[in-house]
Amino acid sequence: MNIRTLLAALLGAVFLATAPAHAQGKLNVVTTTEDLASIAREIGGDRITVEAIARGYQDPHFVEAKPSFILKLQRADVLIVVGRELEIGWLPPLIQQSRNSKIQPGAEGYLDASLTAEILEVPTGQVTRAMGDVHPLGNPHYWLDPENGKRIGKAIADKFSEIRPNDRATFQQKLTDFTTRLDTAEKGWLAQMAPYKGTKVVTYHRSFPNFAKRFDLEIIGYVEPKPGIPPSPQHTLDLINEMKRQNVKLVLVEPYFDMKTPNAIGRETGAEVLVLPPSVGGVKEVSDYFKLFDYDVNLLVQAIKKTGVK
Ligand SMILES: [Zn+2]
């Protein structure tokens, strides 16, 4: 072996020793929702595999636990959650039963994506059951603002970089790409919605405060009397009267709620009743985080035009 061959062999050995990303294989990522999976895919690219637990057409507060979820969690290197107790009703026992120390809350592989996001409707003072059942730590539907999408992307890039420092440059580059594309897309969505600023709407659940704030819709009431509490006749009557008083012609319903009460409200008030997916996977056309806003903004603009009321 001459010196040149020896050097090449040594360099090869050094290269292998400093390339654990390849030796380690892909980072196995599990997210609770398809929205987080879509953003994680943007940041991780081919360096990760990613699977979501809940489907976008399911109510993320109430997901039926399945044994297959535990298997996914057993294999995960990273678990990304929406947080703010969105998943409190179903996720904690699954994490525990996975017995995977990497993804327990507080462990390096556990990421709560809400920690760096703008959270609305944070209760002040004492939180009681009278406020409703499912939003005790502020509104957990914060991904419905592309500005929060960027913050979630950054939190994910930082977490991936922490766990796989050798791939840091890749993750940070992909974050830059994602942020740039999202900035451009957001300008388009804002321009589409601009003529309809201040449009008054009613939504079934409090899924859309971040969306409404970003795109300047005014939510004047909810079909649910309180988050997680089903409609009552008295509340529905009050809501109908308020909609008539304020001339509100749009009711937005998440895909997983019963249409009976929204349709009745529509008949009484002449309002359009629109099924608006709050998540990736909510309808089949919405296959990623960009298409979520494409779809919802288009649907809203068409519906507002149809009502002739903004
Ligand atoms: Zn909710």
Side-chain angles (χ1 to χ4, degrees), residues 164-177:
R164 290 284 167 87
N166 289 304
D167 284 332
R168 172 179 291 275
T170 304
F171 297 138
Q172 297 301 327
Q173 182 55 50
K174 286 189 164 296
L175 172 65
T176 305
D177 290 349

Side-chain angles (χ1 to χ4, degrees), residues 193-208:
M193 292 293 287
Y196 311 105
K197 269 188 183 183
T199 298
K200 290 177 177 175
V201 302
V202 160
T203 73
Y204 194 110
H205 179 73
R206 290 178 179 253
S207 302
F208 298 100

Side-chain angles (χ1 to χ4, degrees), residues 171-189:
F171 297 138
Q172 297 301 327
Q173 182 55 50
K174 286 189 164 296
L175 172 65
T176 305
D177 290 349
F178 171 65
T179 305
T180 307
R181 280 185 290 125
L182 199 50
D183 272 333
T184 307
E186 186 183 338
K187 284 195 186 98
W189 299 322

Side-chain angles (χ1 to χ4, degrees), residues 26-290:
K26 294 184 183 207
L27 196 62
N28 195 341
V29 180
V30 174
T31 67
T32 54
T33 66
E34 294 198 58
D35 309 284
L36 293 177
S38 176
I39 299 174
R41 205 168 280 127
E42 296 282 348
I43 305 303
D46 64 2
R47 305 294 164 102
I48 67 163
T49 60
V50 58
E51 281 184 290
I53 295 179
R55 303 267 66 91
Y57 51 78
Q58 295 178 308
D59 184 338
H61 290 291
F62 304 102
V63 175
E64 198 191 336
K66 291 184 192 161
S68 62
F69 298 164
I70 298 172
L71 292 176
K72 283 182 192 181
L73 291 172
Q74 277 171 349
R75 295 190 296 258
D77 299 310
V78 182
L79 170 64
I80 309 172
V81 307
V82 173
R84 299 280 160 166
E85 297 200 349
L86 180 81
E87 303 99 335
I88 190 92
W90 53 275
L91 186 64
L94 296 177
I95 297 179
Q96 203 178 14
Q97 285 162 40
S98 80
R99 298 176 186 275
N100 179 349
S101 61
K102 286 191 271 189
I103 55 149
Q104 302 296 315
E108 193 185 27
Y110 180 92
L111 174 62
D112 177 342
S114 75
L115 297 181
T116 49
E118 181 189 36
I119 304 299
L120 303 177
E121 301 175 351
V122 178
T124 51
Q126 205 186 351
V127 176
T128 72
R129 299 284 287 181
M131 294 168 176
D133 274 353
V134 295
H135 293 175
L137 302 178
N139 193 292
H141 303 274
Y142 58 86
W143 65 88
L144 279 158
D145 173 357
E147 291 299 316
N148 272 342
K150 290 179 217 168
R151 296 179 185 116
I152 297 167
K154 182 172 189 319
I156 291 176
D158 290 347
K159 177 53 76 184
F160 288 176
S161 302
E162 184 187 328
I163 297 177
R164 290 284 167 87
N166 289 304
D167 284 332
R168 172 179 291 275
T170 304
F171 297 138
Q172 297 301 327
Q173 182 55 50
K174 286 189 164 296
L175 172 65
T176 305
D177 290 349
F178 171 65
T179 305
T180 307
R181 280 185 290 125
L182 199 50
D183 272 333
T184 307
E186 186 183 338
K187 284 195 186 98
W189 299 322
L190 286 167
Q192 271 181 280
M193 292 293 287
Y196 311 105
K197 269 188 183 183
T199 298
K200 290 177 177 175
V201 302
V202 160
T203 73
Y204 194 110
H205 179 73
R206 290 178 179 253
S207 302
F208 298 100
N210 296 79
F211 185 94
K213 187 182 175 195
R214 179 60 50 205
F215 297 106
D216 249 313
L217 299 174
E218 188 186 340
I219 301 171
I220 69 111
Y222 306 92
V223 177
E224 285 182 335
K226 288 177 179 137
I229 307 295
S232 66
Q234 186 57 53
H235 175 75
T236 302
L237 193 62
D238 292 345
L239 183 63
I240 288 170
N241 288 333
E242 190 58 23
M243 286 175 69
K244 286 179 175 169
R245 199 178 70 74
Q246 298 200 44
N247 195 29
V248 178
K249 294 295 181 195
L250 206 48
V251 180
L252 311 179
V253 185
E254 298 84 345
Y256 33 80
F257 289 117
D258 192 296
M259 294 301 284
K260 199 171 130 238
T261 304
N263 283 337
I265 294 170
R267 281 195 300 276
E268 280 297 313
T269 60
E272 285 288 312
V273 180
L274 199 62
V275 176
L276 195 70
S279 275
V280 173
V283 293
K284 69 175 189 316
E285 297 93 322
V286 178
S287 54
D288 68 30
Y289 188 69
F290 289 86

